[in-house]
Amino acid sequence: MDFLRPASWSEALETKANHPDATPIAGGTDVMVELNFDRSRPGTLLDLTRVERLAQWSRDPRPGGAVLRVGAGVPYSRLIEELGTSLPGLAVAARTVGSPQIRNRGTLGGNLASASPAGDGHPPLIAAEAEVELESVRGTRTLPVSEFFTGVKRTALAADELISAVHVPEATGPQQFSKIGPRNAMVIAVCTFAVALHPRRGTVGTGMGAAAPTPRAATEAEEFLAGELTESRRWERPDPLPESVVGRFGELVARAATPIDDVRGTARYRTHALGVLARRTLGWAWDEYRNGTATAGRQGCA
């Protein structure tokens, strides 16, 4: 196995262009597991840990609201510590990832590149309408996160491309995330759900994990809830949500799922659980909206 270690981003892109089959590695929390269990044996590893640009983030003020450009090499621990207020949904999800050691090593870019349907970072990114920045020696392009995943552990990355960053709109309302697993920590999710309220636009974002071949939004549920909040003028006067609205939201989320049976849970259980998570996270988010409180405090693990 060849081991390549570029010192700069330009060198990394050139190396990937010359070695399109090379497997990128940053935190290594997914790649090393595959190697240790002999599930993967790449001919070349492309180590990106020396590329400082990947470990940086910046805030871009825009007329419609600021956007955070988060480098693909920023680890989960820094997402929690440095971006918890700006990207609360992502921070809550990051708290549920592995152990402290894994959160110190694992990166958002690596999570995206692995493209697991159960990836914890994916649902809050979809709910926040984030975009993935892809780069090669040919240039740079961005894709909505929802379009980045093309199948189970498959992505829209070209052979010579690397993930350089994720562009995430700064939260303008409450965001929440919840996860069900066989235990409370260091576990692959049975299913996950994220919700984001966008009061300035009068819209709602959702994201589901381990519920389909790829992470996805529950579009019908989003449209239903946004319509109810607008029609009842609850964006301006945030009264308690009727149980009928919360229940219908959960039903529509569950209906959007197409899960499978596997060792962690049955499709029937996942469908039921997603409805529960949808109602629960909506309740948390709406309480925060009503009370005007910050959104980064809950652990989010069911």
Side-chain angles (χ1 to χ4, degrees):
M1 183 183 297
D2 293 327
F3 186 79
L4 307 176
R5 199 179 190 200
S8 67
W9 183 236
S10 60
E11 185 181 347
L13 295 178
E14 291 175 5
T15 302
K16 183 61 171 167
N18 293 328
H19 302 271
D21 294 333
T23 298
I25 182 170
T29 56
D30 283 333
V31 173
M32 292 308 298
V33 170
E34 295 291 308
L35 290 176
N36 288 339
F37 282 94
D38 206 25
R39 296 172 184 158
S40 175
R41 188 60 56 180
T44 305
L45 285 178
L46 178 59
D47 180 14
L48 301 173
T49 55
R50 293 175 63 191
V51 182
E52 294 183 5
R53 172 179 168 177
L54 293 179
Q56 299 171 351
W57 64 269
S58 59
R59 184 176 184 273
D60 179 19
R62 298 183 186 179
V67 173
L68 280 295
R69 182 187 183 277
V70 184
V74 175
Y76 294 111
S77 57
R78 288 183 56 204
L79 292 176
I80 297 166
E81 295 165 6
E82 301 172 23
L83 297 174
T85 301
S86 299
L87 306 177
L90 189 58
V92 173
R95 288 190 182 94
T96 73
V97 174
S99 62
Q101 295 92 333
I102 295 297
R103 292 192 289 272
N104 284 332
R105 291 286 304 175
T107 65
L108 188 59
N111 195 222
L112 286 165
S114 295
S116 167
D120 294 325
H122 307 156
L125 290 176
I126 292 173
E129 300 179 6
E131 295 184 334
V132 187
E133 180 183 295
L134 311 176
E135 196 165 347
S136 70
V137 293
R138 296 177 289 109
T140 304
R141 64 184 178 123
T142 58
L143 280 177
V145 170
S146 57
E147 296 179 15
F148 175 73
F149 305 108
T150 59
V152 177
K153 296 192 174 183
R154 293 183 7 234
T155 72
L157 271 168
D160 63 342
E161 286 182 319
L162 294 170
I163 300 173
S164 50
V166 184
H167 297 209
V168 194
E170 189 170 41
T172 57
Q175 299 180 354
Q176 276 297 345
F177 171 87
S178 196
K179 168 180 176 177
I180 288 180
R183 58 188 184 190
N184 285 336
M186 297 179 65
V187 65
I188 299 174
V190 172
C191 59
T192 58
F193 183 76
V195 64
L197 303 182
H198 308 297
R200 292 181 186 174
R201 306 198 309 262
T203 61
V204 175
T206 61
M208 301 186 295
T214 62
R216 63 170 60 168
T219 307
E220 192 176 356
E222 295 174 351
E223 294 172 351
F224 163 76
L225 182 57
E228 286 289 329
L229 294 176
T230 299
E231 186 175 332
S232 64
R233 300 187 63 82
R234 279 188 169 84
W235 289 119
E236 297 81 20
R237 187 186 62 254
D239 297 329
L241 289 177
E243 284 298 320
S244 60
V245 171
V246 176
R248 182 58 175 163
F249 180 73
E251 290 173 4
L252 291 173
V253 167
R255 195 161 77 181
T258 56
I260 60 170
D261 296 331
D262 65 15
V263 295
R264 295 194 303 280
T266 65
R268 182 178 179 182
Y269 175 74
R270 283 188 165 99
T271 300
H272 169 75
L274 281 162
V276 174
L277 294 186
R279 296 193 299 271
R280 184 177 300 170
T281 53
L282 174 58
W284 292 343
W286 191 251
D287 283 347
E288 290 171 355
Y289 186 61
R290 291 186 64 213
N291 298 327
T293 56
T295 58
R298 290 190 183 271
Q299 175 67 22
C301 207

